[in-house]
Amino acid sequence: MQQRARVQVKVWGEYACFTRPEFKVERISYPLITPSAARGVLEAIFWKPEFRYEIRKIGVLQLGKQYAILRNELMNKQSRTPILIEKDRAQRTSLILKDVAYLITADIVLKPRAVDPVFKYRDQFNRRVERGQYHHTPYLGTREFAAYFSPVDADDVTQSVNIDVGTMLFDFAFIEDDSRKEVEFLRHDEKETRVASGFTQPLFFEACVEDGWLNVPQEKYMELYRLEGEDAL
């Protein structure tokens, strides 16, 4: 049975912020969407525990302009304890992107628990894109910046841009480890879905946009699966 199938979607938005992790206080965006943010958009449209998305390449339809904003943010994470906003509010500057559009090309890759052919999931994805359906509102980097999506048209041509982005966030590996119970996450094993404990590890790659396309190295997914263990794929 074939294990992967290609999908493509056009996404765009008025604002976007793909935060560089090296800046701790002020938010500064990468010049274009990261593979992890692209995966998040696809999972918002359609997701099942039977498969994973592997981003293959990202096309720049509209690079957008840098745009500085000042906004109120919470200093601490929300929890069960009520927050008194006057004590936990801080004003921070963000350097975001305005008016962006991308083409996301990805593979749907079956996991061992899948029993249906991969083309079933590909067709379901394409139908949801055509109808504008989604599980939750897709967003571009942060939830307040909603993303819109549609099938790719013949008129969608990438910009002829070349950018040496440098080191870019690829994705996060969710690693199960009983000695480091920093986060809880769902692990979709071959037979069941369970709550696991462990930590997250960011993975990076050297990103370069050539003639409007950012190619994502497939070997990074092999590294991610190796870190997450046999159940990752």
Side-chain angles (χ1 to χ4, degrees):
M1 185 168 67
Q2 188 163 337
Q3 296 297 306
R4 60 178 63 217
R6 183 64 52 93
V7 293
Q8 193 173 45
V9 64
K10 173 184 175 182
V11 300
W12 69 95
E14 187 176 3
Y15 297 103
C17 184
F18 311 107
T19 306
R20 288 178 174 271
E22 61 265 36
F23 296 98
K24 295 294 184 181
V25 179
E26 310 297 346
R27 296 180 188 274
I28 297 179
S29 177
Y30 286 110
L32 75 161
I33 189 171
T34 63
S36 62
R39 174 183 56 78
V41 171
L42 299 185
E43 290 180 347
I45 297 171
F46 178 59
W47 178 84
K48 294 279 187 181
E50 284 80 7
F51 66 83
R52 297 185 68 145
Y53 288 107
E54 291 185 5
I55 307 301
R56 296 269 69 90
K57 58 182 182 178
I58 296 169
V60 179
L61 294 175
Q62 194 166 318
L63 191 58
K65 297 179 180 179
Q66 287 187 324
Y67 192 73
I69 60 173
L70 184 67
R71 56 184 177 174
N72 295 322
E73 294 188 3
L74 288 175
M75 297 172 62
N76 299 301
K77 291 182 179 179
Q78 288 182 300
S79 64
R80 295 179 183 272
T81 306
I83 291 176
L84 187 59
I85 190 65
E86 284 76 12
K87 292 184 178 179
D88 282 304
R89 182 171 54 195
Q91 284 194 326
R92 289 176 176 156
T93 301
S94 298
L95 190 60
I96 64 175
L97 303 175
K98 182 172 172 47
D99 297 326
V100 298
Y102 309 105
L103 292 179
I104 299 174
T105 302
D107 284 343
I108 291 177
V109 184
L110 292 183
K111 300 179 73 172
R113 66 185 291 168
V115 294
D116 294 316
V118 67
F119 302 112
K120 171 187 173 181
Y121 302 112
R122 181 201 61 186
D123 294 344
Q124 282 184 282
F125 178 89
N126 289 334
R127 283 197 297 270
R128 294 180 72 86
V129 170
E130 291 171 359
R131 297 169 181 169
Q133 295 176 311
Y134 49 82
H135 285 298
H136 58 267
T137 304
Y139 56 89
L140 297 172
T142 60
R143 291 186 182 274
E144 60 204 285
F145 299 151
Y148 308 96
F149 60 91
S150 73
V152 179
D153 296 327
D155 297 334
D156 293 327
V157 179
T158 58
Q159 287 184 323
S160 181
V161 293
N162 296 284
I163 307 170
D164 186 0
V165 181
T167 303
M168 186 185 221
L169 176 67
F170 166 70
D171 213 324
F172 289 92
F174 288 80
I175 303 172
E176 213 172 329
D177 189 339
D178 290 335
S179 64
R180 288 183 61 183
K181 294 184 177 180
E182 298 172 5
V183 295
E184 288 188 342
F185 48 88
L186 293 178
R187 184 68 88 195
H188 305 287
D189 297 338
E190 189 171 351
K191 296 181 179 178
E192 62 176 358
T193 297
R194 58 184 174 82
V195 178
S197 299
F199 62 95
T200 58
Q201 179 175 321
L203 301 177
F204 297 88
F205 73 111
E206 294 302 313
C208 186
V209 179
E210 296 179 335
D211 199 21
W213 288 96
L214 170 67
N215 289 299
V216 181
Q218 190 169 7
E219 58 267 24
K220 295 303 295 185
Y221 285 101
M222 299 301 104
E223 182 181 353
L224 185 146
Y225 299 150
R226 187 170 61 253
L227 289 169
E228 291 191 345
E230 296 180 355
D231 296 331
L233 190 62

